[in-house]
DNA sequence: CAAATTTACTGAACAGTGTTTAGTAAACAA
DNA sequence: TTGTTTACTAAACACTGTTCAGTAAATTTG
């Protein structure tokens, strides 16, 4: 009975095909200007076909959101090689900013847009990707505590605080709310602020 | 020649009428589910009429965004009465969080959605509301420096850092990315984080 | 192998969206 | 009173996400 397996394979292939087209369009022209019909055009299938593989647009963008988390985790993976735990946390911050600036649409999908979270909600599942990356941050902080860099023991609260700062910084930038600075100064200001924040956590966490 | 003045008044009235309807619908059913046709229905005019008073949807939501800033500034106005400059800055933070939690749609409009900023961009004006409220934050920080609470003299960088943290905290919450905590714990965690952050800036800024 | 059934897909429709335009009726100016 | 401007709208355009009846091919059954 290899037929069922082949059909399952073909189904996965089709899901990939759709996802690849969706990603392409999404990344090159943004979420708002990407329609199911556009995606259907690219893969040369009818729009209705997409609904045989993804329940709705939210599910489709949830799948992309998962991919995005995979990419972020990949970019943070080589972090374990850094010995000093504080340096590691700082490098984690650098890469988080880099990821957000280089992949604004993916960042939006991961941490701002409703669509993926709505997809989760109506299947009432937990936000595993979020949990996992938040876990990584907590781990990095725990290591700093163990190494004696941080005294504060409530790692969860420390993690929220650090993540809030990081998310705020990049999303103010991504959503064009840094227009009080010249365009060419914005990234510089972010760097300056990041340096200040690292000093803050080093001295008081 | 009182006719021209009356017409101008009528024009303003109509803009108000549209804006009130838009605000009502927007606040009770969200941005995504509010259409020009819905607004037209409420005020009992044709959809096309709205376009005689607002260039497009972006302009309409820019007007609401301005209102929202007025409301935030109002909520922060009675702050000047607080004598101690550090206590004042902290209270400012409290009220910022309160505003965001109580007016999630307005907060979205002010700091996350593209629409209002796009309206600005295509008229190439500066983001005055943003500048003004950022100015208020800088003022509050300057007062803390003057009073000897803060040593750090780069107020602009301090302001970005504090605002980033505040914005991150509330927008993670508003965009439902705090699901790693039970629903009833989320606001508590935010408070705990805020307390930690106040300690951080008190000790190192 | 032929017939019956399942699977994969699509055209067309539904109910909406933002926006534009041609045309109309009322208000105003001459 | 005539001519012109103003305020408004019906209808259309080009879209959107989503559903569903119908079709043709693939697969299973007799």
């Amino acid at each position: 009975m290899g037929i069922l397996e082949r059909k399952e394979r073909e189904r996965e292939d089709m899901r990939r095909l759709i996802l690849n087209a969706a990603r392409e369009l999404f990344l090159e022209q943004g979420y708002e200007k990407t329609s199911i019909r556009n995606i259907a055009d690219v893969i040369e299938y009818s729009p209705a076909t997409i609904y045989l593989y993804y329940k709705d647009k939210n599910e489709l963008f949830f799948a992309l959101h998962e991919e995005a988390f995979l990419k972020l985790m990949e970019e943070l993976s080589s972090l374990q090689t850094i010995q000093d735990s504080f340096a590691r946390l700082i490098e984690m911050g650098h890469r988080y900013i880099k990821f957000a600036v280089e992949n604004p649409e993916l960042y939006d999908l991961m941490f701002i847009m409703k669509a993926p979270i709505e997809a989760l909600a109506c299947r009432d599942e937990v936000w595993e990707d979020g949990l996992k990356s938040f876990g990584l941050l907590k781990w990095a902080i725990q290591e700093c505590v163990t190494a004696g860099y941080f005294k504060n023991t409530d790692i969860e609260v420390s993690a929220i605080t650090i993540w809030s700062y990081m998310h705020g910084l990049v999303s103010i930038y991504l959503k064009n709310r840094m227009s009080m600075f010249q365009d060419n100064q914005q990234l510089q200001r972010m760097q300056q602020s990041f340096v200040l924040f690292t000093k803050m956590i080093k001295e008081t966490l």
Side-chain angles (χ1 to χ4, degrees), chain A:
Chain A
M1 267 275 172
I3 282 181
L4 276 178
E5 286 148 23
R6 194 206 64 209
K7 294 235 164 173
E8 185 53 41
R9 240 184 3 254
E10 280 173 354
R11 196 178 160 75
E12 273 318 304
D13 288 351
M14 192 62 165
R15 281 175 68 93
R16 280 244 88 82
L17 188 68
I18 294 168
L19 213 61
N20 289 344
R23 186 182 340 96
E24 192 186 314
L25 287 176
F26 182 55
L27 291 184
E28 83 181 20
Q29 60 185 353
Y31 172 74
E32 298 217 315
K33 278 165 192 156
T34 303
S35 69
I36 300 287
R37 278 175 180 82
N38 292 158
I39 299 168
D41 281 352
V42 169
I43 61 173
E44 294 177 296
Y45 276 87
S46 145
T49 301
I50 291 174
Y51 288 87
L52 301 172
Y53 296 89
Y54 291 95
K55 195 183 134 281
D56 55 24
K57 218 188 173 189
N58 283 353
E59 287 287 341
L60 186 51
F61 285 108
F62 176 76
L64 282 175
H65 144 284
E66 275 189 307
E67 274 199 357
F69 266 98
L70 230 77
K71 186 172 171 155
L72 173 61
M73 287 316 241
E74 206 177 287
E75 241 132 273
L76 297 180
S77 68
S78 62
L79 233 113
Q80 264 84 341
T81 63
I82 300 174
Q83 287 302 312
D84 181 71
S85 57
F86 189 74
R88 184 166 51 212
L89 185 65
I90 302 309
E91 180 59 19
M92 205 166 154
H94 274 128
R95 295 197 193 171
Y96 189 89
I97 294 174
K98 190 166 179 283
F99 179 87
V101 171
E102 286 176 357
N103 311 281
E105 294 85 5
L106 293 188
Y107 191 88
D108 207 342
L109 211 42
M110 294 163 80
F111 300 116
I112 303 173
M113 278 174 49
K114 290 186 205 162
I117 296 295
E118 271 173 8
L120 266 177
C122 82
R123 289 189 285 168
D124 51 44
E125 286 177 22
V126 292
W127 190 36
E128 270 186 63
D129 297 294
L131 266 168
K132 197 177 158 198
S133 43
F134 191 68
L136 186 67
L137 175 58
K138 282 199 289 187
W139 166 80
I141 294 170
Q142 176 62 63
E143 291 283 296
C144 287
V145 174
T146 308
Y149 283 109
F150 297 162
K151 298 152 284 289
N152 195 303
T153 47
D154 195 337
I155 278 123
E156 205 136 273
V157 171
S158 300
I160 297 176
T161 307
I162 292 178
W163 182 31
S164 287
Y165 166 74
M166 295 300 301
H167 172 66
L169 187 72
V170 301
S171 61
I172 284 172
Y173 172 77
L174 293 179
K175 293 296 179 180
N176 258 294
R177 258 66 175 197
M178 276 209 179
S179 45
M180 32 284 237
F181 314 113
Q182 270 96 308
D183 287 11
N184 51 33
Q185 284 211 334
Q186 295 183 6
L187 283 172
Q188 195 202 328
R189 289 292 194 208
M190 281 175 75
Q191 286 303 325
Q192 291 174 305
S193 169
F194 184 73
V195 170
L196 175 60
F197 189 74
T198 58
K199 246 176 59 186
M200 286 171 67
I201 60 172
K202 186 163 196 170
E203 290 176 28
T204 61
L205 258 188

